[in-house]
């Protein structure tokens, strides 16, 4: 692990949605477009170069309100990007998320044939995301986004998803979300774990040195440099089934909360088991400077406090001894809930679609998002636990039990059903602002 050095990023050219944590609370909208006319698609890109917010724009009157613009492989094709340039993008991006279903364990109910149209098809060309602290300011952001695609009949809006983050910061299963955020050299944004050395900027920004000393970027440099990749996914949550599992696995209300904490790695008030092993600590959970500042290896290498198979330890093993270098698989994760909450105490599904819109940002989709999804979320070999799955988001088969380490006898819970089903998603490229203008200036 190398010590941090003075690094300067071209923040005025990087989209703000790449590096900036989202405000709390916030509202967001994802808009998906298909390009039917190449010239008008290029005009969309020209306008997007103005509508998208830069990472340097943190003190404008809009405050924590911004617009991000992303393009899929199919979108770059529709814009007429030369084949030599298309072939320089990451392999996973070029294939598209639907084609990567097996690697991502998007099978059964999560298979692309069940996805919400048009997600997973070659019609998804451009994704525009608008983010703001509240619905009124979100409308301002959407108006800003509209300036990019308004009066372009050759650019067709084909999908929209409204989502939000509650003031409580919780998602539908009742846990705090968005707690962990890595520090990136040169971003000026502190990480949520003060013990973690900032990661090289090339782990998230294309054309910059990464943890391996390399520098990956699509060609030409004006297109690839200062961009990033994003994997966005719509994930349906079966909240009633999750609640029933906790209730059926526990003996008391207190035991239910303990099981919920052992499954996630945090109490539902936000305090991590690593810092609050016996009971929840709401004050700790509400403190962003303390609730994520911990490691595992010295205090809890075997996982008696924070189980090695729990969700947060699988998603980010931190300093734990596992197969693979943890820092090579770090991502920026952004999540927002969609759909109304299931009322408290309800144990039967009401038929309403609810879940999470997730975005995973990084410069290496293969060794970041795909590795974590396939090797850490859906396998346990990396920490010596066979082929177990993540208990919250893993592709559970209804046969594998979740084990809670405990002395003198471990506790084995009932087989895990699948609580989260993929409803769609896609790999996107987040161009720099100068790259958006370059795409707008393309000529046949």
């Amino acid at each position: 692990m190398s010590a941090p050095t003075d690094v300067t990023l071209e923040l005025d050219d990087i989209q703000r949605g790449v590096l900036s944590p989202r405000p709390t609370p916030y509202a967001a909208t994802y808009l998906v477009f298909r390009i039917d006319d190449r010239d008008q698609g290029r005009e969309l890109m020209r306008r997007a170069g103005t509508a998208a917010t830069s990472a340097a724009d943190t003190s404008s009157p809009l405050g924590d309100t911004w617009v991000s613009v992303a393009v899929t492989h199919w979108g770059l094709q529709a814009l007429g990007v030369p084949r030599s340039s298309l072939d320089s993008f990451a392999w996973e991006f070029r294939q598209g998320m639907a084609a990567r279903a097996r690697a991502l364990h998007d099978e059964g109910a999560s298979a692309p044939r069940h996805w919400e149209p048009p997600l997973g098809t070659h019609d998804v060309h451009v994704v525009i995301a608008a983010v703001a602290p509240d619905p009124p300011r979100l409308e301002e952001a959407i108006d800003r986004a509209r300036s990019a695609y308004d009066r372009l009949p050759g650019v067709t809006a084909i999908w929209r998803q409204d989502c939000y983050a509650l003031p409580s910061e919780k998602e539908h299963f009742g846990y705090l979300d968005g707690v962990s955020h890595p520090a990136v050299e040169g971003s000026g944004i502190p990480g949520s774990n003060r013990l973690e050395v900032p990661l090289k900027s090339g782990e998230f920004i294309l054309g910059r040195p990464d943890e391996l000393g390399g520098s990956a970027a699509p060609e030409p440099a004006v297109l690839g440099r200062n961009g990033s990749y994003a994997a966005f996914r719509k994930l349906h949550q079966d909240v009633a089934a999750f609640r029933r599992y906790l209730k059926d696995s526990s003996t008391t209300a207190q035991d239910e909360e303990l099981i919920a904490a052992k499954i996630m790695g945090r109490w539902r008030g936000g305090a991590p088991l690593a810092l609050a092993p016996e009971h929840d600590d709401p004050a700790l959970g509400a403190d962003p400077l303390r609730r994520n500042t911990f490691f595992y290896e010295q205090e809890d290498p075997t996982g008696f406090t924070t189980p090695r198979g729990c969700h947060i330890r699988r998603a980010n093993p931190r300093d734990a001894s596992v197969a693979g270098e943890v820092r090579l698989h770090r991502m920026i994760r952004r999540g927002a809930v969609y759909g109304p909450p299931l009322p408290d105490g309800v144990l039967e599904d009401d038929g309403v679609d609810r879940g999470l819109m997730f975005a995973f940002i990084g410069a290496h989709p293969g060794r970041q998002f795909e590795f974590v999804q396939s090797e850490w979320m859906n396998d346990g070999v990396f920490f010596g636990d066979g082929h177990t799955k993540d208990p919250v988001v893993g592709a559970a088969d209804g046969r594998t039990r979740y084990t809670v380490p405990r002395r003198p006898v471990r506790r084995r819970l009932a087989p895990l059903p699948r609580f989260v089903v993929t409803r769609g998603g896609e790999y996107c490229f987040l161009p720099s602002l100068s790259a958006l203008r370059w795409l707008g200036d393309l000529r046949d």
Side-chain angles (χ1 to χ4, degrees), residues 309-328:
C310 74
H311 175 70
I312 69 167
R313 195 157 176 168
R314 281 176 173 268
N316 178 17
R318 301 179 187 237
D319 67 327
S321 178
V322 299
E325 170 54 57
V326 173
R327 289 173 67 84
L328 299 182

Side-chain angles (χ1 to χ4, degrees), residues 302 304 404-410:
T302 57
F304 276 98
V404 178
R406 187 178 60 173
R407 295 185 176 95
V409 181
R410 65 183 180 177

Side-chain angles (χ1 to χ4, degrees), residues 45-64:
M45 294 296 103
R46 277 193 292 272
R47 297 180 186 180
T50 301
T53 313
S54 82
D57 187 12
T58 58
S59 59
S60 72
L62 290 175
D64 287 325

